Amino acid sequence: MTAPLTDPALTDPALTDPALTGAPLDEPGRGRRAGSATWRAFRRQPLGVFSLAVLALIVLVSVFAPVLSEPPASYGPDVLRPPGGAHPFGTDALGRDVLAEVVWGTRQSVLVAVAASAIAIAFGTLVAVVGAYFRRVDAVVGVLVDLTLSLPVLPLMILVAALAGPSTTTIILVVAAFSWPEVTRLVRSQALAVVGLPYVDAARLMTRNAAWIIGRHVVPAVTPVVVVSVVVTASRAVLSAAGLAFLGLGDPTTWSWGRILYEAQQSGAMVSAWWLTLFPSLAILALVLSATLVSIAYNDARNPRNHDR
C-alpha cells in the first residue's frame, strides 16, 4: 500500500499558524490565543514588566493628581529649601513646593503624550496603509515622508509654536504634525509586505471595496507595529513638549515638567538648587525610558519563537 498523499500545509504549523505566515487572525479564538501567548512571553521579561508598572504608576499619578497634592501655590515663605521635612522635593525660587509641581506636571505631560501620539498614529497609519494598498499613492507617500524627515524638526517646531502662540492645543498639534512621518515609515514597511500576501489577493477577487479590504485585512495585520509606534511616539512627544516648554513656548497657565525646568533657568537657581532640575528630569527619564523598554519587550514577546510551544 502506498502512503496517502498529505498536503504539508495541513500538517506543518509553520505554514498554518497565522502568527508565522502573517495572515490575519480572523477567528476570535486564534486572536485570543495569540494574545495570550504574547502576554505570557511578555511576563517572562522582568524588565518589561517593571517598565510597564512604571508607566502605569505615572498614569495613575496624572489621574489622581488632585488627591495626591494640592495645586502649586503662587508663592510661599520657604524659598529654595532643599528636599526634606514638609517639602520632600524642596521648594523653588518663589517658595512653591516642587513635589506639587512635578505631580501636577505629570497630568500635562501625559495629556500631551496621549493626544499627540493618538493624532500622529491615526494619521500616520492611515497614510501608510492607503499608500501600501494603492501603489501609485505609495510613491507620493514615500517622497512626502522622506522630505518631512529630512527637515530640521526642532527649529520648525519652535517656529510654529512661536507663531501659533503658547497653549496646550498648540503643543499637541505641533508635536503630532512632526511625529506622523516616523509612524508612516514604520507601518508602511509592514503594510507593503501584507498587501502582497495571497489572502489579500483573494480578498480583491471577492470585492472591489478597497476600504473593506484595508480595514478587514491590512489594518489588523499591522496592528502589532502600531502598538509599538504608540509607545515610542508617546515618549518622543513628552521629550518634544518638555523641550518646547523649557524654551518658554509651553502653556504658561498649566504646570508641566518642561515648565519647571524653564522657571528654574529663568530664576537663575538651576545651578545652585540642584533639586529644581533633578526631580522633573527624573520624571521625564522614567517615562521615556520605561516606554522604550516596554516597546522593546512587547516587540520581542510577539515573536512566535518566544511563545510557549
Side-chain angles (χ1 to χ4, degrees):
M1 296 179 64
T2 58
L5 297 179
T6 303
D7 187 354
L10 300 178
T11 59
D12 188 355
L15 299 178
T16 57
D17 189 352
L20 299 178
T21 60
L25 300 175
D26 291 335
E27 299 180 13
R30 288 183 177 180
R32 287 192 295 268
R33 288 195 297 270
S36 300
T38 299
W39 174 239
R40 287 195 301 269
F42 183 88
R43 286 186 300 177
R44 291 198 299 267
Q45 304 184 50
L47 192 58
V49 174
F50 176 77
S51 300
L52 183 62
V54 172
L55 282 180
L57 178 61
I58 292 175
V59 173
L60 289 176
V61 169
S62 67
V63 173
F64 295 102
V67 179
L68 298 175
S69 174
E70 295 182 356
S74 301
Y75 61 91
D78 300 324
V79 177
L80 293 179
R81 288 289 183 89
H87 306 287
F89 286 7
T91 61
D92 63 6
L94 295 179
R96 295 171 297 196
D97 186 51
V98 177
L99 175 59
E101 296 175 356
V102 172
V103 169
W104 282 83
T106 305
R107 306 193 78 185
Q108 173 74 357
S109 300
V110 171
L111 172 62
V112 171
V114 172
S117 62
I119 296 174
I121 291 295
F123 183 76
T125 301
L126 177 63
V127 172
V129 297
V130 171
Y133 190 82
F134 300 100
R135 294 306 174 92
R136 294 182 179 179
V137 179
D138 182 62
V140 179
V141 171
V143 172
L144 181 61
V145 170
D146 292 338
L147 178 62
T148 307
L149 292 176
S150 66
L151 297 174
V153 176
L154 183 58
L156 287 176
M157 291 179 67
I158 294 173
L159 177 62
V160 174
L163 292 176
S167 68
T168 302
T169 303
T170 299
I171 295 297
I172 292 174
L173 294 178
V174 168
V175 173
F178 290 97
S179 298
W180 71 265
E182 289 284 352
V183 178
T184 299
R185 167 171 285 186
L186 185 62
V187 176
R188 174 174 168 263
S189 62
Q190 178 71 13
L192 286 173
V194 170
V195 295
L197 294 176
Y199 73 88
V200 177
D201 294 333
R204 290 193 183 100
L205 297 176
M206 295 173 56
T207 178
R208 294 181 179 272
N209 191 339
W212 184 87
I213 297 175
I214 292 174
R216 187 69 175 84
H217 297 292
V218 181
V219 173
V222 301
T223 298
V225 181
V226 174
V227 173
V228 176
S229 300
V230 169
V231 182
V232 175
T233 305
S235 63
R236 291 179 178 176
V238 170
L239 283 176
S240 300
L244 292 175
F246 178 71
L247 295 174
L249 298 175
D251 190 345
T253 63
T254 306
W255 280 101
S256 66
W257 295 335
R259 179 186 170 184
I260 301 173
L261 298 174
Y262 169 73
E263 295 203 354
Q265 190 269 339
Q266 289 294 106
S267 65
M270 179 173 285
V271 177
S272 59
W274 53 268
W275 55 90
L276 295 181
T277 57
L278 176 63
F279 295 110
S281 299
L282 287 178
I284 296 173
L285 177 63
L287 193 152
V288 174
L289 183 59
S290 59
T292 303
L293 293 177
V294 165
S295 65
I296 294 174
Y298 173 77
N299 197 41
D300 292 340
R302 70 186 181 91
N303 187 342
R305 295 180 180 179
N306 296 328
H307 294 173
D308 295 330
R309 296 305 180 104

